[in-house]
Every structure is written in C-alpha cells, then in structure tokens.
Amino acid sequence: MDNLFGVIGHPIEHSLSPFLHKLLMEKMDVEGSYHAFHVQPGNLDQGILGARALGIKGLNVTIPYKEKLEDLVVDIDDYAKEIGAINTLKLTEKGYKGYNTDGYGFLKSLTIEGITIKNKTVAIIGAGGAAKALALLVAKEGAKKIIIINRNIDRAQMLVQSVREYYKIPMVIHGLNNLFVDTDMDLCIQTTPVGMYPKEDQLIIDHAPFYEQIKVGVDIIYNPHHTSFLEMCKSHGAKVVHGIGMLVFQGIRSFEIWQDVQVPDSIQMEIYHEMVEHIRRSR
Ligand code: NAP
C-alpha cells in the first residue's frame, strides 16, 4: 500500500480521524488508507522513525504528543513554531515537516457561522495547549482584548507571557472561583476537557450571570456534540459553535497539505454535515 496516512496519540482508540479521512479520500477520489496508531509514552521517537521507514506519507498528531515533536522533525512551518505545537506531519525526502492546522480549523468553524474575531473581546476558559494555541490565534486575528479564565493562575500567567512575546494586546486573568467578569464577552471559548464524554453532565462554570455576558459560546469538545457549556450559553441567549467544526476543518487542511490539493467548499461542507450526523448516531 503506497498512500499510507494515520494519526498517532495516547489514547487513540476513540479517534474520529480515520472515519473523517476515509470520507475525504472517497469524496476526493484519492486511493489510500488512514489508520489510528497507538504510540506508548516513551516510544514517540521510535514511532516517528518507524513511520518514516514504512513510508507513511502523513500523520496527524494528538494528545499528548503535539508539543513533543519539535526535535523529531526536519522542518517546521512558522505558525506551528510560534504556538509550539505540531498536529500534522508530512513526509519529505529528509524526514517529516511539522505543521499545525488546529488554528485554521478553528477559524473555519467560526467563518461558516459568519463569526469574526477582529476587535472582539474574547474569553478563553482553560490555559493548556489548546488554549495557548487559540489565544495566539485570536491575538493574531486582531481581537481587542483577551480574558483567560483558569483554575491554575500560574499556568494562566505563563499563557499570557507566551502571547505577549508576540503581540501587544490587553489581557486579563480570572480564576474559576468567585468569578466576576467586568465586561461582556463577544466570544467565550471553552477549552478544558470538563463536560467531555462520558462525564457530559459536568459544567466548567456553574454560575448563571456569567453566561448572560456571552454573545457567542464555543466549545472545542466535540463528544458530546452539544455540551453542557453550550447548552448554558444557548439557554442564556448566546449563539453557539460546536467543536466538531474545528476537528473536521483541521483534518481537511492536513489532507490538503499532504495531497497538495484544495478541497472544494461544497465537499468540505458535505463532510462537516456527515461528521455531525456520525457523532449523533454513535451516541
Ligand atoms: P491540556 O493542555 O491538558 O489543558 C487542559 C486545561 O483544562 C488546563 O487549563 C486545565 O486547568 C483545565 N482543566 C482540566 N481539568 C479541569 C477541571 N476538572 N476543572 C477545571 N479546569 C480543568 O489539554 P488541551 O490539549 O488544551 O486540550 C483540552 C481539550 O481540548 C481536550 O478536551 C481536547 O479533546 C480538546 N481539543 C479539541 C480539538 C478539536 O479539534 N475540536 C482540538 C484540540 C483539543 P489547570 O491549568 O488548572 O490544570
């Protein structure tokens, strides 16, 4: 088999990427296969060497390896370098080149809903890898102000420092306790795993007045499709954006990088709707 692709992570068995890429290959008439590979912690470097030896042309990378690949690639694209995280590897003659398509996927999930970031006040709940990537992206897109809301304040401060290395943008930090945000939030992005299947009843912030200040609520969790956080946003009058869009469009962008093609918008939207149905059916 010549055209081999896959995703590496730990754990990996619930990944939706094989289903997504099978759909993409079918609709784009590309011969090939895509598999989920479980890489045990400690085996990442052997995993990458093995993938190269086997001629695997492209890999997606998920938790916990996105921030551990910089020394294992022969080249890295500027955006992946800036955020310090790689989610896509493309095989070149000398080895793998690293990219990050999560930001592209996130922006496209907003664009299809007619939402922009420029001059907006954006709150981000969480301060981990995904929050850092999104904070840098939101700053780059010209947001007016960023509010970081996190349980661990030291981690939130580290995130703010990372953004300030590149962008001059007003940023404030809030803890999760006694939460009072002194401004309306044009966008509030939930990036913690709280509320993820099978603990979908968990809610990151259980304080109704907070939700009244949100105009658009985004959750990057995609299983369940409609999280408790999104339900709270919606019931307090906000528009909501589901996490599946980010997953689908980052995957499509990886495919475009590997195949050196552009996936037409009509096919992107067909795949998006089929993935939403797939998640709903699989519950
Ligand atoms: P991470 O680096 O481990 O960060 C997790 C963050 O969540 C930290 O800020 C942590 O707070 C907070 N957190 C975790 N458990 C918490 C709890 N019980 N109460 C309060 N805060 C809690 O993880 P990540 O890589 O950023 O990923 C986060 C989520 O994003 C995952 O669910 C992942 O599946 C999802 N994701 C989705 C997409 C997509 O395509 N839709 C892409 C990437 C990631 P502390 O700092 O206080 O510990």
Side-chain angles (χ1 to χ4, degrees), residues 63 66 102 126-131 150-152 155 176 191-194 196 204 220-222 243 246-247 250:
I63 290 174
K66 288 186 190 186
D102 282 336
N150 198 45
R151 178 177 61 181
N152 179 333
R155 203 165 178 196
L176 282 177
T191 75
T192 78
V194 178
M196 199 159 80
I204 185 73
I220 69 167
I221 289 175
Y222 51 80
M246 178 173 173
L247 178 81
Q250 63 77 31

Side-chain angles (χ1 to χ4, degrees), residues 3 123 255 264:
N3 232 357
F255 178 90

